DNA sequence: CAATAGTTTCAAAATTTCCTGAAAGTAAAT
DNA sequence: ATTTACTTTCAGGAAATTTTGAAACTATTG
């Protein structure tokens, strides 16, 4: 397989992969493109490679920066902005965990907390509260585990944890 | 908060939560509804509670059964089918991991494998292969970790692992 | 300060995903 | 063998999401 075929396949797969996890397909593709780029790319480079509009490129680049997966790079003497992706996979995953934890897990925990105070003496109310508490207990544990994982450094995770769990 | 308010809030939140993880909103809501139900529900019960069509209810129920999160229950003397959700959160999460691993992680590993054989002596090709290998290495480790997690039983996870990682 | 070189925003269009409902399918009961 | 009581399928419509592109904005340069 040559580079151009491989690149296309990677861009398309990473897009589909992201898509099935609720991440905008184009955002995932821009991320993929930057991850395999040997140097920083400009918005124009990205627009051309992925055949997308300037608006689309801009919005998704900003989102990637927000997630801590991409950063801006200024080149001396150049007026336009260049973009580079974080290439350390452990950092990539860590940032994704941090974001999704903040945007999805933590709000859910808050909702579960409110819901566990539902009143009522019917079997329906009893089962509702029981199940909400079960979900909350589990989610709370997942939340702490992720906290620990995020605080742990790459070496610890890849070394100790992986060996331990095997 | 009373039951009806709580239920509505839970159904809507669980739907939104699923949605942001690439799971059909209605599928997540049916799952939520069955999780908090004290007894098995019929397709008609679900259609009425969520105000959805028979086709929609049927398709998403089948998908939930596929994922191992819901099962059919036949009542003696009743011709119609009833549905119950798995209520043990550890089993729920385990089944979700198994499915997503099979449908998304494993195909990705296969693609990465193919991509790591890209040929070329340009810096672009070198960086491409380097990065694909980095992603593959990390994904492979994640895959093994999930394997172990899935084989481990609930008690082990909640007891040993949680304490260990804290 | 006008021109130039970019970036950002957002309403409308395009695309994708989801849902409906009616028709077809299935199987138990009579 | 026909009716009854359901379940399943899927084409077309509805809804949600994504993308475009042009106008507005910002900042550097001459």
């Amino acid at each position: 397989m040559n580079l151009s075929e491989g690149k296309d396949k990677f861009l398309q797969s990473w897009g589909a992969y992201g898509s099935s996890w609720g991440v905008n397909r184009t955002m995932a593709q821009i991320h993929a493109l930057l991850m395999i780029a040997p140097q920083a790319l400009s918005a124009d480079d990205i627009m051309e490679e992925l055949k997308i509009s300037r608006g689309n490129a801009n919005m998704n680049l900003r989102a990637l920066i927000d997630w801590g997966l991409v950063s801006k790079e200024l080149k001396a003497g150049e007026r336009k902005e260049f973009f580079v992706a974080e290439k350390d996979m452990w950092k990539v995953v860590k940032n994704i965990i941090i974001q999704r934890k903040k945007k999805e897990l933590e709000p859910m925990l808050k909702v579960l907390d409110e819901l566990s105070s539902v009143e009522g003496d019917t079997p329906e109310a009893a089962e509702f509260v029981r199940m909400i508490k079960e979900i909350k207990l589990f989610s709370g544990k997942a939340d702490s585990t992720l906290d620990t994982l995020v605080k742990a450094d790459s070496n610890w995770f890849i070394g100790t944890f992986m060996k331990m769990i095997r």
Side-chain angles (χ1 to χ4, degrees), chain A:
Chain A
M1 196 182 291
N2 65 33
L3 178 60
S4 144
E5 290 166 341
K7 204 164 161 179
D8 283 356
K9 184 158 194 174
F10 180 60
L11 294 179
Q12 108 81 31
S13 304
W14 202 254
Y17 192 53
S19 195
S20 71
W21 283 90
V23 172
N24 180 297
R25 175 175 256 102
T26 303
M27 177 170 157
Q29 286 183 330
I30 295 176
H31 183 222
L33 182 61
L34 288 172
M35 280 197 301
I36 58 172
Q39 332 85 1
L41 301 182
S42 67
D44 292 272
D45 294 336
I46 293 165
M47 286 162 63
E48 195 186 0
E49 287 259 23
L50 300 176
K51 279 144 184 60
I52 58 173
S53 71
R54 185 171 302 282
N56 196 5
N58 184 273
M59 287 189 303
N60 286 114
L61 277 166
R62 258 189 312 110
L64 284 164
I65 291 171
D66 233 54
W67 279 51
L69 302 178
V70 165
S71 45
K72 283 188 185 178
E73 205 175 80
L74 297 168
K75 286 194 183 175
E78 290 259 26
R79 209 140 134 191
K80 66 177 142 191
E81 294 171 333
F82 288 80
F83 302 90
V84 270
E86 170 58 58
K87 296 199 175 198
D88 176 333
M89 280 308 281
W90 171 246
K91 287 187 187 163
V92 169
V93 169
K94 203 154 102 170
N95 285 342
I96 293 171
I97 291 174
I98 291 170
Q99 293 298 322
R100 302 209 82 157
K101 198 166 111 55
K102 188 164 70 194
K103 290 182 189 151
E104 285 134 30
L105 188 52
E106 284 161 14
M108 190 71 211
L109 284 172
K110 200 163 145 276
V111 169
L112 289 170
D113 226 13
E114 290 162 34
L115 294 177
S116 57
S117 72
V118 158
E119 307 274 356
D121 47 12
T122 58
E124 284 73 30
E127 177 62 4
F128 180 84
V129 172
R130 191 196 67 74
M131 196 64 210
I132 293 294
K133 284 182 177 163
E134 157 113 16
I135 298 171
K136 195 171 76 172
L137 184 68
F138 193 91
S139 309
K141 281 174 177 165
D143 193 53
S144 320
T145 305
L146 291 176
D147 268 342
T148 310
L149 216 56
V150 158
K151 277 176 205 142
D153 84 326
S154 164
N155 290 336
W156 178 82
F157 175 67
I158 287 175
T160 317
F161 175 63
M162 291 298 311
K163 264 180 209 148
M164 199 165 59
I165 207 166
R166 269 171 165 279

